[in-house]
Amino acid sequence: MSVETRKSYCRFCHAYCAIEVEVEDGRVRKVRGDRSDPVYGGYTCIKGRQLPEVANHPERLRASLRRKPGGGFEEISSVRALDEIAAKLREIKNAHGPRAIASYCGTHSFQNSVQLAFARAWHTGLGSPSFYTSVTIDQPAKFVAMARHGLWSGGAHSFESADVVLVVGNNPVVSMFSPYGGLSTFNPSKALRDAQKRGCRVIVIDPRRSEVAKRADLHLAVKPGEDPTLLAGITRVILSEELHDADFCAAHVNGLDALRAAVEPFTPDYVEARSGIPAEQMQDAARLFARGPRGGVSCGTGPNMAPHSNVTEHFVLALGTICGRVNRAGEPVPNPGILTPLPRRAQAIPPFPGYGAGARSRVRGLGELNVAGVPEMPTAALADEILTPGEGQVRALFVMGGNPVVAWPNQPKVLRALEALELLVCVDIRLSATARLADFVIAPKLSLEREDVTLLTDSWYSAPYSHYTKAVAQPGFDALEEWEVYWELATRLGTPVRLPGGEVPLDERPSKLEVLKLQLPTPRVPLEQLRAQEGGQLCAEVAPRVEAAKPGNDARLDVAPAPVCDELRAIRAEAFSTTGAGYGADADAFRYRLISRRLRHVYNSSGQYLSAIRREGTTNPAYMNPEDLRELGVRDGELIEIESAHGRLPAVAEASDDLRRGVISMAHAFGGAPSEDTRVREIGAATNRLVDDESDWDPVTGMARQSAIPVNVRRRRGADAPRPPF
Ligand SMILES: Nc1nc2c(c(=O)[nH]1)N[C@H]1C(S)=C(S)[C@@H](COP(=O)(O)OP(=O)(O)OC[C@H]3O[C@@H](n4cnc5c(=O)[nH]c(N)nc54)[C@H](O)[C@@H]3O)O[C@H]1N2
Ligand SMILES: Nc1nc2c(c(=O)[nH]1)N[C@H]1C(S)=C(S)[C@@H](COP(=O)(O)OP(=O)(O)OC[C@H]3O[C@@H](n4cnc5c(=O)[nH]c(N)nc54)[C@H](O)[C@@H]3O)O[C@H]1N2
Ligand code: SF4
Ligand SMILES: [Mo]
């Protein structure tokens, strides 16, 4: 028996905490935080600490599976599975063309540092634009907003230097996610405490008194989906009181007068009536934010899943811009990026084409979205791409570390689509709700069994930090990495895989380091050097400063793009209700709004089966204001039925003072198909059954309304809470 302690990083979620792993004969025994790490300082959460159970769980797939003709699965070697999959792909490609072959890369694809680039390159080599990821059902509006507004090459102010942050529908204390100018993604709770100690003020906009709102200086409990109105009101206060950075705007910004005109109708009275935020509180927030002098704005999933997300994300960028919250020439670059260095200059990158070019969806007039330079098709339309006959119909789908049955909008349609496929291949560690429908399930290596580098977070660190880990454990059976599945298929189909540094060799399977070097050809520090050290490291020699603008550069940011001004006019023309708990024009038909949220102990559908996590709760409760529950005659813990215009869902009610009346807060990606509804207390329920992807979607991104969903609630028959056993 040999026990050793190895350093690595956790990839249960995207926060990549540095850990020490006790390994016995190649198997993971225990995980704890690495207290010597310069960024994480030993932080871990309940999810990461379960990595040993993830690896050793009886339900973990220890072989790849093939569906048997009569139903059920049988074990199959990965070589045989890939031969059969390749044969089917060849047949589909020859009969219907390459577009019929699609991939959906879910959240776990982001945790393998080469998977996304490899999958995209495989699709390009195959000639198929049918490349989808979870980004387009997450926060695609961010990329639309950047394309319309442009970006500041020198980057936004870091959280560490901020005097104020505005946090819009984002709860980093739980989610470990706070992009561009928000809180820290790494040990955010401590980062928040440190920031507040040095005087940083925090403003939170959220219908729920979220974990971060509880610690904020100012919490604006906005009505769900009314962020565009509230942010327009805040912008109006800043501009009308001349609190903006006029010099920065004169030098670098287009559209200031047009923005003034566009927000003019969002008077404090109007904003109060519509968003539920008292005029004075809104004005306080605007003044506090504008005072700065340094600071940032972050926006999370809530407002991105609500209507008019492109407008909300535009304000997130525009508020920073009009207040001049950017790094100037000579300032240190707070997040230089070790693996993907970008030139940083004190100048604007003007608006750029981010959508509307490239492949078109066959449904709803949608098309590719440029996600950080990579074209992707909109996931919200993928079920229809499978179900709609005709040229380009998707017939084969790879689901790579994702769970469409519970994560995509319109669950009944998703189920029909997955069943209609000629070939469904899942790469998953277990038989998820989706993998159970697959023709083949490929057993992957787990994170600690893989070599990886912190690529996803490379430009999120506010220090020149990187962590390259070798594999610290072994699966001990026939398992592949996600990208290796594509590599194997490329060799069988003879299709090239080109990465930025050159073509991937197809004669012999390259090592992970070789693939990383092709993918990241110009790192600031050679990958071999990063690989040579165990644990995360600060690269002190990397200390770039923002360079002066290129002489003659006259690029400008646009704070009032025409589509945003048009959409603001349309928002201002919408009807809304000012009475009771109801919101919006349909307040009489639907009394409640169901909003999205994350739970600390799970990662979407990942982890729900683990023993320590199940002790935290097995369902995704429907959190509601106690007054609302009283009015409905529902007691804490009883079953309710939630109904939207689109579908019905059972749920377990839980009283919460953190919610304003008329709001239900519920996590997604729980439960299974409708046939499993009776197990709602044990496995939860999939909120996506309530989501309508056909009449309520964004015309640019295709995002369905996954938050601020109009619903009604009633007590479910036979709904009594289980009696305590005494
Ligand atoms: N209504 C509603 N819908 C939503 C959202 C919402 O808030 N409300 N949120 C949206 C968002 S932000 C997202 S990102 C998507 C999430 O959408 P998905 O990514 O499709 O869903 P997950 O549940 O994260 O799926 C992760 C899968 O990866 C598997 N997995 C875990 N570890 C590994 C591994 O090591 N290797 C491999 N290959 N697989 C592994 C898990 O078993 C699980 O099946 O859902 C979106 N849908
Ligand atoms: N523990 C844990 N961590 C996770 C995940 C998880 O499932 N569990 N999921 C991961 C994923 S895939 C992602 S994308 C990130 C997301 O990270 P975040 O965006 O921070 O996600 P949430 O924690 O759901 O925070 C969103 C907030 O938006 C609020 N909200 C809902 N609707 C509205 C609205 O209309 N307006 C406003 N202003 N607020 C609204 C909710 O109340 C909630 O507090 O988290 C990641 N991290
Ligand atoms: S926050 Fe938790 S799950 Fe995420 S990387 Fe850190 S320990 Fe792992
Ligand atoms: Mo996400």
Side-chain angles (χ1 to χ4, degrees), residues 104 107-108 138 305 403 407 427-428 482 598 604-605 668 688:
Y104 166 67
T107 50
H108 204 83
D138 183 330
M305 292 179 184
N403 199 353
V427 180
D428 206 302
E482 293 76 8
R598 263 78 195 143
N604 305 326
S605 70
H668 75 299
N688 273 312

Side-chain angles (χ1 to χ4, degrees), residues 132-402:
Y132 299 79
T133 78
S134 47
V135 166
T136 52
I137 45 164
D138 183 330
Q139 297 162 78
K142 287 193 156 54
F143 300 95
V144 175
M146 284 179 209
R148 289 171 172 174
H149 167 276
L151 286 169
W152 184 254
S153 166
H157 288 164
S158 70
F159 178 56
E160 287 71 14
S161 72
D163 301 298
V164 63
V165 283
L166 175 61
V167 180
V168 190
N170 172 215
N171 189 25
V173 178
V174 164
S175 69
M176 305 288 174
F177 180 77
S178 196
Y180 325 114
L183 272 64
S184 171
T185 303
F186 316 105
N187 198 347
S189 204
K190 178 176 180 298
L192 178 59
R193 199 165 48 243
D194 292 348
Q196 287 184 311
K197 251 191 234 156
R198 62 169 174 72
C200 177
R201 312 289 295 272
V202 179
I203 309 164
V204 173
I205 299 178
D206 197 313
R208 179 170 72 95
R209 201 153 51 93
S210 64
E211 287 73 1
V212 72
K214 282 180 187 152
R215 294 167 61 174
D217 297 275
L218 196 53
H219 171 212
L220 278 49
V222 67
K223 288 185 179 183
E226 298 300 355
D227 304 274
T229 292
L230 180 56
L231 294 172
I234 288 175
T235 307
R236 185 183 183 279
V237 172
I238 292 174
L239 291 177
S240 63
E241 297 184 8
E242 302 287 333
L243 304 176
H244 62 293
D245 184 336
D247 292 343
F248 180 77
C249 291
H252 300 290
V253 172
N254 277 340
L256 196 65
D257 288 338
L259 180 64
R260 265 184 219 279
V263 298
E264 183 51 33
F266 294 85
T267 60
D269 287 347
Y270 177 82
V271 174
E272 174 167 335
R274 179 161 180 176
S275 73
I277 301 302
E280 233 170 69
Q281 203 187 28
M282 185 270 286
Q283 286 159 330
D284 285 349
R287 291 170 193 147
L288 181 58
F289 178 75
R291 194 184 318 143
R294 294 182 71 91
V297 191
S298 77
C299 184
T301 42
N304 269 275
M305 292 179 184
H308 304 299
S309 49
N310 298 330
V311 171
T312 302
E313 283 287 358
H314 176 74
F315 278 119
V316 169
L317 294 177
L319 276 166
T321 296
I322 61 172
C323 294
R325 301 285 160 76
V326 299
N327 299 311
R328 316 292 167 112
E331 283 192 55
V333 176
N335 48 348
I338 301 293
L339 305 169
T340 47
L342 289 172
R344 300 293 202 151
R345 292 181 178 277
Q347 67 187 43
I349 300 167
F352 48 90
Y355 55 91
R360 305 299 303 164
S361 298
R362 295 178 311 131
V363 292
R364 302 204 278 285
L366 299 168
E368 280 182 344
L369 178 68
N370 197 324
V371 177
V374 178
E376 292 187 16
M377 296 293 272
T379 294
L382 181 45
D384 279 324
E385 290 278 10
I386 297 168
L387 289 168
T388 309
E391 207 183 311
Q393 180 176 15
V394 169
R395 293 160 190 271
L397 175 66
F398 289 85
V399 174
M400 314 297 287

Side-chain angles (χ1 to χ4, degrees), residues 9-19 31 40 43-49 51 174-176 185 187-188 600 603:
Y9 67 90
C10 176
R11 280 148 279 175
F12 198 121
C13 89
H14 58 276
Y16 298 169
C17 299
I19 51 175
V31 161
Y40 298 90
Y43 176 85
T44 57
C45 80
I46 182 176
K47 301 183 294 299
R49 292 192 294 271
L51 284 175
V174 164
S175 69
M176 305 288 174
T185 303
N187 198 347
R600 196 184 288 276
Y603 192 66

